[in-house]
Amino acid sequence: MAYKTYHKNKKTGVTYVYEAVSYWDKEKRQSRNKQVCIGKLDPETGEFIPSKRLDKKQAAARDPKVTATSKVVGPSLILDNITESLGLDKILRQCFPDIHEQILSMAYYLSTRGGALSHCDSWAKSHSHPGSNSLDSRRISEILKQVDFDSRETFFSKWCQKIVSNDYLFYDITSVSSYSELNDYVKYGYNRDNEKLPQINLGMLFSKKSLLPVYYKNLPGNISDVSTLNNIIKMLDKLNFPKFHFVLDKGFYSRANIDKLMINKDKFTIAVPTRLKWVQKIIDEVDYDIQNPEHYRDFDGEILYTCTKLHYWGDKRRRGYVHVYYNSHIAAEAADKFNKELLEYKKELESDNLVKEHQDAYDTFFIVKDTPVRGRKVSFNNDMVQKYRNKYSGYYVLYTNEIKDSSEALKIYRNKDSVEKCFGDLKNRLDMKRLRVHSAPVMESRIFVQFISLICISELRNMMRRSGLDKKYSAREILLEMETLSEIKYSGKYGKIYTEATKQQKEILS
C-alpha cells in the first residue's frame, strides 16, 4: 500500500515528498518499504511541487489538492473536424450569434445518440460539445424559440452559396408522422410509411457534387408532391440560389411544373409517366427498333435498350430531350406496379377526391357512370388497360432540357437514391420517425436542428467512403467506437490529457 513521507533537508530547509510502498521481504522475513521522491513543498505556500521526472498525469495523481473531471471527447473530435472543414460552424455563428454553440451541441447529441432532446442535458454533462451552458429542457425550449424563420432562411442562403455551384440538386419529399393535434402543418395525407397518423411533409434538396443536404421546407401533410415544386422554385429564387439542375421523380410531373421550369430557365431532368399520350406516341415511334444492337447498353450489369428523341415543349417550342429506356426483365414487375397505381386512381374516382395530374389516367383506363339511384359506379376499361400493359410495360422515360446523352441522364437520375438514404438517416437515426412537438414554430426549429445534424452525418459518410472505412463500419459504429476516448482535465496547472486511444480509434482519427 502506498503512503507519503516528508523529509526536510536541514541544510537547504526544503521539505521533500516521498511516495513509500510497503512490501514483504521473503528472505529477511520482515516488512520493508521502497521510497521514491515525487516532489517537494513550496517553502512559502506549502504547495506541492511535483518532480520534473513525472508527466502531467503522474504529477496530478500524486497532488492531494488536485481535482479531476472526465468527459467523453471521441465523437466531438470527429464532429468538430466536420463542422470546421465545411465552414458550418462559421455560418451558424453568423446567423445565430447568441445560440450557435447550443444548436451545434444539440446536433452533436442527435448525431451520436439520437432520441428526444429532453435527454440532451444528461448527455451534455458527460460529453464534450461546443456549448458550455446547461441544456436542460427549459433552456432547450428557450433556444428553439430563438431559431426564427429569418435566421433560418439566412442560413440556407449562405449554406447554398458555399456548397452549390453548377450542381445537380435532387428534390424529394418524405412524410413525418406526428401525434400533435395543435400543429397547423399536421394533416392526414398520403403517408409514405403506411402509418395511420397525421403527418407533415418535408421537401428536401440534396447536392450531387457534395452529397450533402442543401435546403428543406416544411409542408402541410395533406399537400401532394406535384403541387410543391412551384413554391420551392419561388423560395430558391428569393434566396439567390446559384444556378443548378433539378433532378425529379415522376411524382412531380405536370404540365404546369414543366412550364414553370421552362419559363424560369431552370435546367431539369424528370421521370415522366408512360401513361401520358405524348409519351406513348414517342414510345410507339421507337418501339419497332429499340431492341436493335446499336441501342444496347450495359448499366452496371443491368441490360437496357435506349433511344433519344428531340422534343419541343409548349407553344414556344422550347428544346428538350426524351430518353426512352426498355428493360424486358422488369416488364412483369412494371405491370404489377401499374395495376397498383390503377387501384389508387380507382379509389380517387370513387371518393371523388380527384387529382388533377391523374386526369389522363381517369379518362383512359376507367368507365365512370353516375346515376341518381345507385350513385357513382367506377369500372376498369379493360381493353385500354390490357393494351397499355402489353405495349408499355418495361419502358420508362426521362425528359430533360439539358442532357443529350441517355446514359449520362440515367446515371444522374439514379444518384437520386442518395436522398432516400438521407431521409432514412433523418427518420431512423436522428429521431424524426415521430414528431412530439405541438406548436408549428417549435416544430420548425426542431427540424432545423435535425437538419444540421443530418449535414454532419452525411459528411461523416462521405469521409468514410473516401477513406474506405465504410467497408468496416457504419456511421453509428464509428461514433460508438469513439465513445471510450475521454479527456481528463485537472485543476490548477496540470491541464488536460487524453486516455489512451485504441488501435481502432487511431485508425478512425487518422
Side-chain angles (χ1 to χ4, degrees):
M1 180 177 179
Y3 59 93
K4 292 182 177 64
T5 62
Y6 300 86
H7 300 286
K8 187 173 183 179
N9 188 311
K10 294 180 180 179
K11 291 183 179 180
T12 61
V14 177
T15 300
Y16 290 93
V17 182
Y18 287 80
E19 187 174 78
V21 179
S22 297
Y23 69 97
W24 180 256
D25 190 321
K26 292 182 179 180
E27 293 182 0
K28 296 184 178 181
R29 295 179 176 274
Q30 60 181 342
S31 176
R32 310 281 289 178
N33 67 66
K34 290 181 180 179
Q35 294 189 12
V36 178
C37 183
I38 60 173
K40 59 186 178 180
L41 299 180
D42 188 294
E44 295 182 3
T45 64
E47 182 184 354
F48 175 72
I49 302 172
S51 170
K52 293 181 179 178
R53 293 183 295 105
L54 304 178
D55 59 31
K56 282 185 178 181
K57 184 178 180 181
Q58 292 172 324
R62 286 168 168 81
D63 191 336
K65 294 182 180 179
V66 169
T67 58
T69 57
S70 176
K71 282 199 170 185
V72 176
V73 73
S76 68
L77 288 176
I78 292 176
L79 295 172
D80 285 345
N81 180 280
I82 287 172
T83 56
E84 290 170 14
S85 62
L86 292 177
L88 182 61
D89 54 345
K90 291 181 180 179
I91 297 175
L92 284 170
R93 189 183 303 117
Q94 293 168 1
C95 302
F96 305 92
D98 297 328
I99 56 171
H100 66 279
E101 290 182 341
Q102 288 79 7
I103 291 174
L104 273 179
S105 294
M106 288 188 285
Y108 280 21
Y109 161 72
L110 291 171
S111 299
T112 56
R113 287 284 175 88
L117 284 180
S118 58
H119 300 150
C120 184
D121 194 37
S122 60
W123 171 87
K125 289 174 181 176
S126 61
H127 286 71
S128 174
H129 56 91
S132 55
N133 298 327
S134 171
L135 283 173
D136 57 36
S137 295
R138 182 177 178 181
R139 178 61 181 146
I140 288 172
S141 296
E142 293 172 354
I143 293 167
L144 292 178
K145 289 176 183 177
Q146 296 178 62
V147 184
D148 59 285
F149 175 80
D150 185 58
S151 299
R152 292 197 304 269
E153 295 302 295
T154 302
F155 170 85
F156 289 130
S157 180
K158 292 180 179 293
W159 178 240
C160 77
Q161 294 291 338
K162 182 171 181 60
I163 67 169
V164 176
S165 178
N166 295 319
D167 205 348
Y168 293 94
L169 295 189
F170 309 120
Y171 177 57
D172 208 347
I173 291 179
T174 191
S175 306
V176 181
S177 301
S178 175
Y179 295 110
S180 173
E181 296 178 357
L182 304 174
N183 192 326
D184 294 338
Y185 279 90
V186 177
K187 305 287 184 182
Y188 280 97
Y190 169 64
N191 192 295
R192 292 154 182 81
D193 298 323
N194 297 315
E195 295 178 332
K196 295 180 180 180
L197 285 171
Q199 66 191 31
I200 68 160
N201 287 331
L202 192 68
M204 186 174 293
L205 285 169
F206 198 85
S207 163
K208 177 184 181 294
K209 284 186 177 180
S210 67
L211 295 178
L212 293 173
V214 176
Y215 177 78
Y216 76 88
K217 184 171 177 58
N218 303 324
L219 304 162
N222 58 354
I223 195 168
S224 63
D225 291 2
V226 71
S227 60
T228 67
L229 188 60
N230 185 42
N231 224 6
I232 286 289
I233 293 171
K234 288 179 181 178
M235 290 297 298
L236 299 185
D237 285 342
K238 290 180 180 179
L239 292 173
N240 296 316
F241 256 57
K243 282 297 180 182
F244 61 90
H245 185 115
F246 264 118
V247 182
L248 306 156
D249 66 27
K250 66 180 180 180
F252 296 99
Y253 173 83
S254 73
R255 285 193 171 273
N257 280 346
I258 302 299
D259 287 342
K260 180 66 178 177
L261 289 166
M262 290 289 196
I263 292 169
N264 210 45
K265 297 183 178 178
D266 287 318
K267 302 300 182 184
F268 67 88
T269 297
I270 186 170
V272 291
T274 52
R275 58 178 168 74
L276 301 174
K277 291 180 180 178
W278 71 269
V279 175
Q280 291 180 0
K281 182 180 178 182
I282 292 175
I283 292 176
D284 291 343
E285 292 174 3
V286 303
D287 181 64
Y288 177 75
D289 63 354
I290 193 171
Q291 294 189 61
N292 288 346
E294 64 266 26
H295 302 304
Y296 175 95
R297 300 288 186 277
D298 187 339
F299 288 93
D300 297 324
E302 179 187 4
I303 305 305
L304 293 177
Y305 295 88
T306 176
C307 285
T308 299
K309 301 286 286 186
L310 193 63
H311 182 75
Y312 293 94
W313 184 270
D315 296 335
K316 295 191 176 181
R317 294 182 59 76
R318 292 184 168 90
R319 179 190 290 258
Y321 304 93
V322 177
H323 301 300
V324 181
Y325 306 90
Y326 178 73
N327 183 336
S328 59
H329 296 290
I330 67 167
E333 182 182 338
D336 292 339
K337 188 176 180 181
F338 171 61
N339 287 337
K340 185 177 179 181
E341 289 178 355
L342 288 180
L343 291 172
E344 290 295 327
Y345 300 156
K346 188 172 186 287
K347 287 181 183 178
E348 293 168 1
L349 282 167
E350 289 172 339
S351 63
D352 203 27
N353 185 22
L354 304 184
V355 178
K356 182 181 178 182
E357 289 72 27
H358 298 166
Q359 191 60 51
D360 283 344
Y362 302 151
D363 297 339
T364 306
F365 302 118
F366 296 93
I367 299 170
V368 181
K369 293 182 180 180
D370 290 304
T371 62
V373 178
R374 296 183 179 180
R376 170 165 292 190
K377 183 179 179 181
V378 180
S379 58
F380 293 106
N381 185 338
N382 288 320
D383 289 341
M384 294 304 296
V385 170
Q386 193 67 28
K387 179 182 176 183
Y388 176 90
R389 186 187 293 117
N390 291 340
K391 192 164 187 180
Y392 302 113
S393 292
Y395 280 99
Y396 52 96
V397 178
L398 298 178
Y399 183 49
T400 174
N401 61 349
E402 183 180 41
I403 306 172
K404 297 180 180 180
D405 183 74
S406 61
S407 299
E408 182 187 355
L410 185 61
K411 182 179 178 181
I412 289 167
Y413 179 77
R414 286 186 170 176
N415 279 333
K416 193 174 64 64
D417 291 344
S418 54
V419 187
E420 293 299 324
K421 294 177 183 176
C422 192
F423 284 148
D425 278 337
L426 190 67
K427 293 203 282 190
N428 300 320
R429 178 181 173 79
L430 304 179
D431 187 48
M432 239 183 90
K433 189 75 172 176
R434 301 279 190 283
L435 273 175
R436 298 172 179 86
V437 292
H438 294 289
S439 69
V442 175
M443 178 204 72
E444 290 172 350
S445 300
R446 175 73 161 81
I447 294 176
F448 180 78
V449 176
Q450 303 269 171
F451 182 78
I452 300 302
S453 179
L454 186 61
I455 293 173
C456 294
I457 290 297
S458 298
E459 180 59 13
L460 175 57
R461 291 192 190 282
N462 294 340
M463 294 167 70
M464 292 168 61
R465 199 177 299 112
R466 291 193 292 266
S467 64
L469 283 178
D470 61 324
K471 296 178 176 63
K472 298 175 66 175
Y473 303 95
S474 67
R476 179 179 288 276
E477 288 169 341
I478 285 276
L479 294 172
L480 284 175
E481 186 68 44
M482 299 302 297
E483 281 280 330
T484 59
L485 184 61
S486 298
E487 177 189 83
I488 302 172
K489 189 176 289 185
Y490 296 104
S491 62
K493 58 180 177 289
Y494 297 104
K496 60 186 180 182
I497 63 165
Y498 293 112
T499 57
E500 184 65 28
T502 65
K503 180 181 177 182
Q504 290 81 2
Q505 288 170 345
K506 289 177 181 177
E507 178 187 28
I508 290 167
L509 288 171
S510 69

